Amino acid sequence: MYNPTAHLKLKELKASTLKAYDEKLSADFQTRLTALFSDIFSRFVKLYGEHEHFQPALELLLQKMAEASIGRPAYLLKSDSLREENPGWFCSEDIVAMMLYVDRFNKDLKGIIEKLDYFDELGVNMLHLMPLFDSPKFKSDGGYAVSNYKKVDPKFGTNADLKAVTKALKKSNKLLMLDFVVNHTSDEHEWAKKAKKGEAFYQDYYYTFDNKTVPMLFEQAMPEVFPESAPGNFTFDQSMDKWVMTVFNQYQWDLNYTNPYVFVEMLNNVLTQANMGVDIFRMDAVAFVWKQMGTSCQNLPNAHQIHQLFKLCTQVVAPGVAFLAEAIVTPEEIVKYFGSSEVWSNEHDMAYNATLMALMWNSIATRSTRVMKASLRDKPKKPKGTTWVNYVRCHDDIGMGFEDRHIQESGFDPAAHRKFLTKFFTGDFNGSFAKGMPFMYNPKTDDARISGSLASLAGLEQATKEGNDLGIKRSIARINLLHGIILAFGGIPVIYSGDEIAMLNDYSFLEDESKSDDNRWMHRPKMDWQLAEKRKQKKSPQAQVFQALQHMISLRKNCPELGDHNNFKLIETSNEHVFAFERQWQGKSIMVVANFRDDDQQVYSHLLFPQSLINPFAMKDLLTDQKVQVEEGRLYLAPYQFYWLTNQ
Ligand code: GLC
Ligand code: GLC
């Protein structure tokens, strides 16, 4: 929309701040700036209009954007323009990702290049490398406490090594996703160090307080993220003689985004990393960036304004870069991170489908898909041209973040149901096959999340220990079932490194003082390359998981209907153990039918197919390439069996 104030402001900035860069700025940059400036400006005014540094901060913002644009390497400018012609490029069925810790995977950044063949073998063409930038040796939260956003942590290598990785990935047609830790810095970041030395200017980069009065008022409405290891949301810092807001760990200081300089400096960090060759930013803990007393300090409207500013400014400089929201919150709140536009995202291009992840684990525990269906029936809409990141496990704990009303609708009591899930996955329930641990039990809310690797939660650890062949078989079937769903659901599937070879829990963190208070390390094992060799040994669990995944990935890439066209359709099966959905696109279709129970199940074909593009009399399972027949009006499924049905 034409906004005369913004128009005049831009004119003024072009004649002043941008003047010095004029000749070096590309026409494309100028065009995009003109097109997006009023969206940027209106948000900046909304957030910072009253701030004493409004004008200089705005000038600094434009200056940083101009400098980043001029510094953007030619090969990235090229990919920018290709992607501008193909917005929504990340919705493609062709993309399959793996996330990994560089040091735990293969020593360091050089080690990534050595293993490109491994990714190719599996079919992975996008890498999420866990936090890479400089971070203290011990107080690092796995790299999520950043002390320098412009320097690679020496334990992984150098900035030159990162450049070599981006080049190698580009050359082999792979995408790179890196974390951007947007909500907090390490207390060893130079801003925090200056704050500790008493510099008021930098104390205002964080939420600092002279005494406990205000923090205590905040606390009344703020939940705790790490109640066991880091209770409370504020920490007293002796050198500063002040309290500072620390929502996560005590050494992770929350940035004060009510200060416009914080936004500008952090945007500058984003743009610097973008120019290193990042394709996608995983924006960490996005729900938390805006705080307001009397609220939970999560999902606030101004948090969205901040993220929209990040996106819009980056779009001017580096339009080929995409953003992923890590918002592990309720389904209704998650979709808000796609922004407020209906046709394309003006905020994040993708979001973690934390709801699906939790629903799948719920279905594994209960062997019922009732809650999953209730939730998906009621799924909030996301804008076109945005997509999900679908995953079974990641480096974090599992929180059962679906809605209570969907549990109720399914006939369960929410509190009792959630308690059951924790017990089931921590092996504290008779008949459970799962070997997880409770994460961050909070006695005040009687709440806990769950840690554990995919294979161990799916039963492989216990069954192997017991020498239970049927148990081993079932656990492998569960793993493949879950992978089969994330590959077909719609969105980018992300395999968690190690899960492709069914790695079990790693209990060695208990002996490491820097990790023992955080049991998420139990599912962050060092990649076992010897075990990986077994992927070639027929019948080993490794081969059965790896090869199934490899096969499904290659099938997915040849099925355009599996790209994300907002074409997920839930199918009512009337069998609570069987989950089904269809993905139609331009006359083609795949229907996934999945049995979540460890015995045979059947579904009526008159329920599955009435609105389907699939002909029940001439269909096949893409996974086995075998004809599938309806018998006496029913489709049969073996324990944990799943089909990808398609027309013959
Ligand atoms: C994110 C990360 C998690 C980390 C937290 C704080 O949610 O995934 O590992 O502890 O943010 O940065
Ligand atoms: C909370 C946060 C999420 C973080 C996780 C770490 O769930 O919402 O961002 O990853 O804690 O345990």
Side-chain angles (χ1 to χ4, degrees):
M1 211 172 46
Y2 179 71
N3 173 340
T5 327
H7 180 81
L8 286 177
K9 195 70 184 179
L10 182 58
K11 218 171 143 186
E12 172 200 315
L13 289 163
K14 279 189 172 171
S16 54
T17 313
L18 291 180
K19 190 94 190 120
Y21 306 99
D22 221 14
E23 275 167 22
K24 291 194 198 143
L25 287 172
S26 69
D28 287 344
F29 174 87
Q30 304 270 19
T31 310
R32 289 191 298 260
L33 181 62
T34 307
L36 295 172
F37 187 76
S38 82
D39 283 341
I40 293 172
F41 184 68
S42 60
R43 286 167 179 79
F44 206 78
V45 170
K46 194 164 181 194
L47 292 167
Y48 305 122
E50 306 290 307
H51 198 279
E52 55 173 324
H53 299 309
F54 172 76
Q55 180 64 23
L58 181 64
E59 286 166 16
L60 189 64
L61 173 67
L62 270 285
Q63 186 187 325
K64 296 289 180 196
M65 286 166 64
E67 283 167 4
S69 172
I70 293 164
R72 191 148 173 85
Y75 80 100
L76 294 175
L77 293 173
K78 207 165 105 194
S79 93
D80 285 344
S81 41
L82 287 174
R83 286 177 188 167
E84 272 190 293
E85 281 164 29
N86 180 22
W89 51 272
F90 36 75
C91 296
S92 166
E93 66 282 1
D94 196 49
I95 305 176
V96 177
M98 177 175 276
M99 59 177 293
L100 56 91
Y101 283 94
V102 168
D103 53 341
R104 303 177 86 73
F105 181 72
N106 194 26
K107 222 172 120 223
D108 55 18
L109 282 164
K110 289 198 174 83
I112 297 291
I113 301 180
E114 282 166 25
K115 293 292 180 190
L116 290 183
D117 287 351
Y118 184 72
F119 303 122
D120 288 333
E121 183 185 337
L122 190 57
V124 161
N125 52 13
M126 167 175 157
L127 298 185
H128 169 205
L129 305 181
M130 297 295 286
L132 277 183
F133 290 91
D134 214 4
S135 165
K137 189 151 182 227
F138 294 111
K139 296 174 176 176
S140 81
D141 188 21
Y144 285 100
V146 179
S147 48
N148 186 341
Y149 287 83
K150 295 183 176 162
K151 179 172 162 251
V152 167
D153 192 319
K155 89 173 176 209
F156 304 118
T158 61
N159 285 20
D161 292 330
L162 176 57
K163 204 173 201 174
V165 168
T166 58
K167 272 204 167 149
L169 293 181
K170 264 260 144 46
K171 212 169 139 198
S172 66
N173 268 321
K174 291 182 183 60
L175 298 165
L176 174 65
M177 176 156 87
L178 292 187
D179 283 273
F180 190 78
V181 187
V182 63
N183 177 65
H184 42 258
T185 74
S186 153
D187 67 344
E188 293 183 29
H189 189 283
E190 64 162 310
W191 302 334
K193 283 189 185 157
K194 288 180 178 166
K196 287 185 195 183
K197 283 203 185 119
E199 287 189 39
F201 185 79
Y202 287 101
Q203 288 179 354
D204 195 37
Y205 271 46
Y206 301 96
Y207 289 95
T208 53
F209 305 94
D210 292 337
N211 57 48
K212 242 194 137 169
T213 317
V214 177
M216 266 162 55
L217 290 171
F218 263 108
E219 285 288 13
Q220 288 177 4
M222 285 175 86
E224 294 168 286
V225 179
F226 296 142
E228 279 182 31
S229 57
N233 289 289
F234 295 85
T235 301
F236 182 71
D237 183 78
Q238 222 142 23
S239 46
M240 210 164 44
D241 192 25
K242 278 178 191 278
W243 290 84
V244 56
M245 187 186 284
T246 55
V247 169
F248 290 84
N249 288 297
Q250 280 98 349
Y251 53 83
Q252 288 166 308
W253 288 18
D254 286 68
L255 285 163
N256 172 13
Y257 278 94
T258 67
N259 177 347
Y261 284 127
V262 168
F263 170 74
V264 175
E265 294 285 2
M266 289 302 274
L267 176 75
N268 182 38
N269 286 331
V270 166
L271 297 178
T272 304
Q273 294 185 13
N275 282 355
M276 293 178 173
V278 176
D279 295 292
I280 302 157
F281 282 107
R282 174 196 181 274
M283 300 298 275
D284 181 60
V286 290
F288 296 83
V289 303
W290 195 267
K291 277 78 175 181
Q292 198 178 308
M293 198 189 285
T295 73
S296 68
C297 296
Q298 293 183 31
N299 303 313
L300 293 176
N302 278 349
H304 293 284
Q305 298 288 324
I306 293 281
H307 295 304
Q308 290 174 15
L309 268 181
F310 273 114
K311 160 87 185 213
L312 291 163
C313 295
T314 305
Q315 229 180 337
V316 173
V317 176
V321 169
F323 287 89
L324 161 66
E326 192 246 351
I328 311 304
V329 293
T330 59
E332 264 112 78
E333 292 298 338
I334 295 179
V335 289
K336 293 186 189 161
Y337 290 91
F338 289 122
S340 48
S341 158
E342 277 186 13
V343 277
W344 57 282
S345 164
N346 61 0
E347 196 169 324
H348 294 91
D349 302 288
M350 12 184 145
Y352 277 98
N353 199 345
T355 319
L356 178 71
M357 180 276 298
L359 290 167
M360 289 192 297
W361 284 110
N362 175 76
S363 308
I364 287 286
T366 58
R367 292 148 164 105
S368 158
T369 63
R370 267 194 268 171
V371 181
M372 176 142 74
K373 286 173 190 163
S375 173
L376 289 173
R377 249 176 239 134
D378 196 23
K379 191 162 68 91
K381 276 205 182 121
K382 69 175 174 59
K384 277 199 181 136
T386 62
T387 200
W388 292 116
V389 155
N390 293 313
Y391 63 115
V392 179
R393 285 299 290 119
C394 71
H395 69 296
D396 277 331
D397 45 288
I398 303 174
M400 296 295 168
F402 37 82
E403 307 275 8
D404 278 352
R405 66 169 191 276
H406 297 135
I407 304 178
Q408 255 154 355
E409 227 172 86
S410 310
F412 306 115
D413 170 62
H417 185 73
R418 290 178 187 283
K419 200 160 248 164
F420 158 74
L421 292 173
T422 314
K423 286 195 166 207
F424 185 90
F425 284 113
T426 56
D428 186 18
F429 186 84
N430 213 353
S432 163
F433 46 74
K435 278 241 163 287
M437 280 187 186
F439 178 68
M440 297 290 158
Y441 173 69
N442 188 342
K444 285 181 232 160
T445 54
D446 201 18
D447 226 23
R449 282 115 69 191
I450 293 145
S451 284
S453 79
L454 166 56
S456 291
L457 292 175
L460 186 61
E461 182 172 334
Q462 183 172 311
T464 307
K465 210 191 249 155
E466 290 168 353
N468 172 354
D469 287 339
L470 182 64
I472 292 175
K473 185 174 159 188
R474 294 280 190 257
S475 65
I476 292 168
R478 287 182 200 109
I479 295 170
N480 291 343
L481 168 73
L482 295 172
H483 279 152
I485 289 175
I486 62 162
L487 278 157
F489 187 86
I492 301 178
V494 181
I495 313 298
Y496 184 39
S497 168
D499 286 349
E500 79 284 11
I501 53 163
M503 283 188 71
L504 304 177
N505 289 338
D506 171 10
Y507 298 100
S508 66
F509 77 100
L510 291 166
E511 271 102 65
D512 180 338
E513 230 182 282
S514 70
K515 301 193 167 80
S516 58
D517 68 345
D518 185 342
N519 67 25
R520 288 176 297 171
W521 288 100
M522 72 193 280
H523 54 254
R524 297 172 180 175
K526 262 204 162 133
M527 178 64 182
D528 185 340
W529 289 104
Q530 225 163 343
L531 188 71
E533 280 303 301
K534 289 200 182 160
R535 72 187 185 278
K536 298 165 187 159
Q537 272 171 35
K538 241 188 163 181
K539 297 217 167 119
S540 70
Q542 287 66 40
Q544 291 183 64
V545 170
F546 189 94
Q547 291 174 14
L549 202 47
Q550 190 181 38
H551 181 54
M552 290 190 286
I553 290 173
S554 76
L555 292 173
R556 170 187 155 98
K557 291 184 179 176
N558 287 309
C559 294
E561 63 272 42
L562 293 184
D564 190 358
H565 317 282
N566 267 3
N567 57 337
F568 170 89
K569 198 169 129 223
L570 180 71
I571 297 185
E572 304 291 348
T573 61
S574 94
N575 177 332
E576 71 165 301
H577 311 294
V578 179
F579 174 56
F581 61 90
E582 185 165 354
R583 309 284 318 286
Q584 303 181 357
W585 173 245
Q586 295 187 337
K588 294 191 77 183
S589 182
I590 288 183
M591 186 191 286
V592 176
V593 187
N595 177 9
F596 271 82
R597 208 175 132 115
D598 42 4
D599 57 11
D600 295 339
Q601 292 296 318
Q602 36 177 292
V603 267
Y604 292 111
S605 78
H606 70 267
L607 292 177
L608 288 180
F609 299 106
Q611 286 174 46
S612 170
L613 283 186
I614 291 165
N615 176 356
F617 303 104
M619 60 181 182
K620 68 170 182 180
D621 178 15
L622 202 59
L623 299 168
T624 55
D625 203 29
Q626 301 278 312
K627 192 170 167 86
V628 177
Q629 251 163 340
V630 170
E631 293 165 45
E632 293 169 356
R634 296 173 173 94
L635 181 72
Y636 287 87
L637 294 108
Y640 296 118
Q641 188 188 354
F642 61 104
Y643 294 111
W644 283 9
L645 296 175
T646 185
N647 285 322
Q648 263 188 328

